[in-house]
Amino acid sequence: MKLLIKSIITGGLLVFFIYATAQSLAKVQEADETRASYRSSFNRSDFSLKDQSPFHSRRLRQAPDDDGQGETEISYKEEKLEEKGNEIRECSQGLVLPLWLPQKNISLGDRLIRGFVYFVILVYLFVGVSIIADRFMAAIEAITSIERTVVVRGPNNEKKTMSVRIWNETVANLTLMALGSSAPEILLSVIEIYAKDFESGDLGPGTIVGSAAYNLFMIIAVCMIWIPAGEVRRIRHLRVFIVTAAFSIFAYVWLWVILSVTSPGIIEVWEALVTLLFFPITVIWAYIAERRMLVYKYMDKNFRVNKRGTVVAGEHDQVEMDAEKGRHPLSVGFQSTRNSDAEAFDEARREYITVLSELRQKYPEAELEQLEMMAQEQVISRGNKSRAFYRVQATRKMVGSGNLMRKIQERAHSDLTEVKASLQASEEDDEDEQPTRVYFEPGHYTVMENCGEFEVRIVRRGDIHSYSTVEYETQDGTAIAGTDFIGKKGTLCFPPGVDEQRFKIEVIDDDIFEEDECFYIRLFNPSENVILAVPQIATVMILDDDHAGIFAFTDSFFETSESVGLYEVTVMRYSGARGTVIVPYWTEDETAVGGKDFEPVRGELIFENNETEKNFEVLILEESSYEKDVSFKVHIGIPRLAPDDELQAKIQEVEKKNTKDLTELDRILLLSKPRNGELSTSHIRIRESKEFRATVDKLVAKANTSAVLGTSSWKEQFKDALTVIPADESEFDDADEDVEEVVPSCLSYISHFVCLFWKVLFAFVPPTNISGGYVTFLVSITVIGIITAVIGDAASYFGCALNIKDSVTAILFVALGTSIPDTFASMIAAKHDEGADNCIGNVTGSNAVNVFLGIGLAWSIASIYHMSHGGTFNVEPGTIGFAVGLFVAEALVAIAVIMSRRWNKNIGAELGGPRGSKYFCASILVFLWVFYVTICTLEAYDIIRI
């Protein structure tokens, strides 16, 4: 497929180059022979006045003397040859590039050599302007990626803070992005005006018209067949496309009007200024259409049902795309009133969560941090890119600078590391900012009567860099000091950097059955700058070890994060710990569904003798949901003593007795059977991970391509300039696949060394992180202007050497040279974007901008200059007017072909579709371009006359 596309482009170029060169050089050689014969006849002195016409005689009679008659006649004959269209002329000095001397008596071989050298120079200059345009587009991406913080209200009226881009996508595409891709054509038109002393030329306008034809016909044709089999691409912002397409055709109609109708051959100041004024009008109108403002909100109404069953308004294209994908977009009210910034942020967030969920299913054993990095790669690589991204990617592939996949991976890893560090630092800062706090951790202790002694832990949080003290003492409860435990009192010291202290308390064991008892430990009298936090009183429960006990959960409600993995549920045993007890447990669905939110469990806990606490685990399934809030129940059943337990045998003997015969000890023994407490059922609430939520918000806010395209230092730029990076054909495949290290090919090395001069030179351009990319923008456009001036000179010399008219040189060579990078950028965009906006919409927008800004600015400068000097700015309609008229007619046909594919039920899209239909439509567009170039060339050489 690539070979076919390259063959079409190269073949057309070579055919017309050979044709134009052969015709021109034949005329040059004929003219040189004619001139030589005239000079030979004059040298033989056989010239006679009677052989000349009266007009010739008048020219000769005006000669000052006989010695000048021969030269006068030669001059006349040469002028007549020029009038006949042979254009035997000497090349004029250019603006920047020195002229190749001499210019007189040049042989055919010399002309061919000079033409070849100028052609090579042109190609090398086109490579250079493409590389600096790479930096220029990176600066534009950095500028249009500038964000602002906004506060919006969510579905529950809660406030959310998010970052949104300042630049509207449509406005950015029609202003800075269009300027970035069309800067050489626009600057060439302006520079040519200055180089020709504010007189009109054919090179600048011809390049703009030729580039428009190539963009509309050839780029769309290539993209149409470049879509993978079975896939289609639709224009998502159809209203914007209609506006830009209408203005792109109107732009050339307007050119024809001012050239041939209102003031034929003269461009007045108001005509030039109105042409320039149409540029902001186009941008504003497209913005209005994209935002559905003014009359657009009453047009093309479509409705859909949201999740609540409410009918709401929606965009026609979006409704269809949602129906195709089975999605239910977030809708709040009518389309005209919904907050697009909030929706864009939510959509990006949902995309990140969806990708992370897919990766978790694909790699269940992977760590969450690794999955987050892979998801960040895919969010950047799979999402829709800007026009700048594809242009830079295409340029780098052509000049041996590799692809952006590696930078995307590095960026994802860097972003995740930065986010994690930021979150950790934020937590530490929050902790450090709080005052010094001292409290028990934990605040509740449960110990057996026969434990001997247990350890109590006090922690210090906040600022721990100073010396702190706090006193403690025990207090009686139902447990009495000296009878049930040994009372204690003392002072705890926290040296700088120490965040916890421990001490032990002894429990007294006896053989008397008692109910569970408790006592307390309190903290008091902290040192200066220390506060006592909750819990500042710890409760100690002493469990009697003479009976089986009561079993219950520690709380009726638990809350956990979905990222916890295995969640431990604790069952406590109190009021006795004697004997081996079996306690059944199980889970029950509520809003949380077993198998989806958690793994259902059922089993039995076995409490050994004197064991007071047992845990069972529930696996929480992580869906990486941003706002998850579901719950399920856990139950414990009726506990029972193990069949082989000694206590069970004693209880069974007592149960055989008559109730009247039971002693007090027997009754106490029966009461000591294990039983459930009040909390035999508990609810577990699963909520989203706060860390995950914070990570998602931060990564989504950073998920743009400006940092991938841009550079942060001169060191990075020179390193990239001197490094050969292989071009990976799978640069936009799923980022979860391992990208193998590829050795640069021979072609990569050749491309690198050919372009090394430009790469090193443009590494001196300031990095994009300086002043948000504005410095890079200004320096890059200045360099593009300088190179474009050289391109103008080289193109003019090239045409002059081979006797090719500037209008033909512009349409054939310069237009193609400036449009080839856009061709490959559009091919990448067509393959990897969900829509066709970056392929088709940007073509029509760029064509309109080229005329309104490129020709409008140049002609405004020239017309104002001539008006200030009392003259007029003259522009002969000639080939430009003819080319404009022909382009308008063919553009209408092309737009009709494109839209018919969209409305065709079997295709339903502008790009892709069935193999036969897309090749048929693409061949029509290719024919339109070939026909356009052929007719314009023939008309320029007066082979056909219109």
Side-chain angles (χ1 to χ4, degrees), residues 576-612:
R578 180 178 175 182
T580 302
V581 180
I582 301 173
V583 181
Y585 65 89
W586 67 92
T587 58
E588 179 185 350
D589 292 357
E590 280 190 305
T591 54
V593 179
K596 178 178 180 295
D597 301 300
F598 68 97
E599 285 293 342
V601 295
R602 180 179 292 271
E604 293 180 337
L605 297 175
I606 300 177
F607 286 79
E608 301 292 342
N609 188 46
N610 289 331
E611 192 172 16
T612 61

Side-chain angles (χ1 to χ4, degrees), residues 170 174 239-240 243 247 280-290 295-296:
T170 298
L174 289 177
R239 294 185 306 277
V240 176
V243 171
F247 270 99
I281 291 176
T282 303
V283 175
I284 294 172
W285 201 322
Y287 176 77
I288 291 173
E290 190 263 339
V295 298
Y296 286 98

Side-chain angles (χ1 to χ4, degrees), residues 253 282 342 412-413 488 510 528 627 635 690 708 751 807 829 835 909 941:
V253 173
T282 303
H413 180 74
K488 197 169 188 178
D510 58 41
E528 188 177 358
E627 294 179 343
H635 304 275
K690 293 182 179 180
V708 176
S751 300
S807 59
Y941 285 98

Side-chain angles (χ1 to χ4, degrees), residues 349-406:
R349 187 170 59 194
R350 286 194 295 270
E351 173 70 13
Y352 180 89
I353 294 170
T354 301
V355 171
L356 189 57
S357 300
E358 293 173 355
L359 291 172
R360 188 167 185 82
Q361 293 177 4
K362 190 171 183 179
Y363 303 102
E365 303 300 326
E367 297 291 336
L368 179 60
E369 183 172 339
Q370 181 182 3
L371 294 177
E372 287 177 342
M373 186 179 73
M374 294 163 65
Q376 181 71 350
E377 290 180 30
Q378 289 200 18
V379 167
I380 298 177
S381 62
R382 283 171 45 175
N384 287 336
K385 311 297 189 305
S386 67
R387 188 176 182 177
F389 184 93
Y390 293 120
R391 174 63 185 261
V392 172
Q393 175 68 357
T395 301
R396 293 190 179 183
K397 287 175 69 66
M398 287 191 298
V399 300
S401 294
N403 61 77
L404 299 175
M405 189 63 234
R406 182 171 301 171

Side-chain angles (χ1 to χ4, degrees), residues 332-570:
V332 183
F334 285 90
Q335 171 73 19
S336 58
T337 59
R338 67 184 185 177
N339 190 320
S340 60
D341 290 339
E343 288 188 3
F345 187 85
D346 288 339
E347 179 64 26
R349 187 170 59 194
R350 286 194 295 270
E351 173 70 13
Y352 180 89
I353 294 170
T354 301
V355 171
L356 189 57
S357 300
E358 293 173 355
L359 291 172
R360 188 167 185 82
Q361 293 177 4
K362 190 171 183 179
Y363 303 102
E365 303 300 326
E367 297 291 336
L368 179 60
E369 183 172 339
Q370 181 182 3
L371 294 177
E372 287 177 342
M373 186 179 73
M374 294 163 65
Q376 181 71 350
E377 290 180 30
Q378 289 200 18
V379 167
I380 298 177
S381 62
R382 283 171 45 175
N384 287 336
K385 311 297 189 305
S386 67
R387 188 176 182 177
F389 184 93
Y390 293 120
R391 174 63 185 261
V392 172
Q393 175 68 357
T395 301
R396 293 190 179 183
K397 287 175 69 66
M398 287 191 298
V399 300
S401 294
N403 61 77
L404 299 175
M405 189 63 234
R406 182 171 301 171
K407 291 199 71 174
I408 287 177
Q409 292 176 322
E410 294 173 355
R411 162 78 189 283
H413 180 74
S414 174
D415 281 353
L416 188 62
T417 303
E418 181 181 339
V419 166
K420 296 294 186 182
S422 174
L423 293 175
Q424 183 178 0
S426 177
E427 293 176 357
E428 292 177 354
D429 291 343
D430 292 342
E431 187 71 25
D432 291 341
E433 290 175 0
Q434 295 182 3
T436 304
R437 309 177 313 281
V438 176
Y439 54 90
F440 288 101
E441 189 178 84
H444 183 90
Y445 294 87
T446 302
V447 298
M448 296 301 302
E449 189 180 56
N450 61 353
C451 69
E453 62 180 11
F454 67 95
E455 193 172 62
V456 179
R457 179 171 177 259
I458 294 90
V459 298
R460 180 173 64 159
R461 296 291 182 262
D463 183 10
I464 62 173
H465 301 95
S466 59
Y467 186 87
S468 304
T469 61
V470 65
E471 297 183 34
Y472 69 91
E473 66 176 0
T474 59
Q475 291 183 339
D476 292 349
T478 54
I480 307 300
T483 302
D484 300 302
F485 67 95
I486 304 297
K488 197 169 188 178
K489 182 178 182 180
T491 301
L492 297 174
C493 300
F494 293 87
V498 176
D499 61 355
E500 71 172 54
Q501 290 290 358
R502 302 170 186 257
F503 62 90
K504 293 182 178 181
I505 294 180
E506 184 179 352
V507 178
I508 300 174
D509 188 19
D510 58 41
D511 295 331
I512 302 173
F513 169 72
E514 299 172 311
E515 294 290 340
D516 293 342
E517 300 171 319
C518 67
F519 67 95
Y520 308 98
I521 312 171
R522 74 181 185 97
L523 300 175
F524 65 98
N525 194 24
S527 59
E528 188 177 358
N529 298 326
V530 176
I531 62 173
L532 297 178
V534 177
Q536 63 188 41
I537 296 179
T539 302
V540 182
M541 180 71 69
I542 301 177
L543 303 182
D544 187 82
D545 59 350
D546 298 319
H547 292 274
I550 298 174
F551 298 85
F553 292 110
T554 57
D555 202 343
S556 62
F557 182 86
F558 299 97
E559 183 173 311
T560 183
S561 165
E562 64 171 345
S563 63
V564 70
L566 288 174
Y567 180 72
E568 287 190 346
V569 182
T570 302

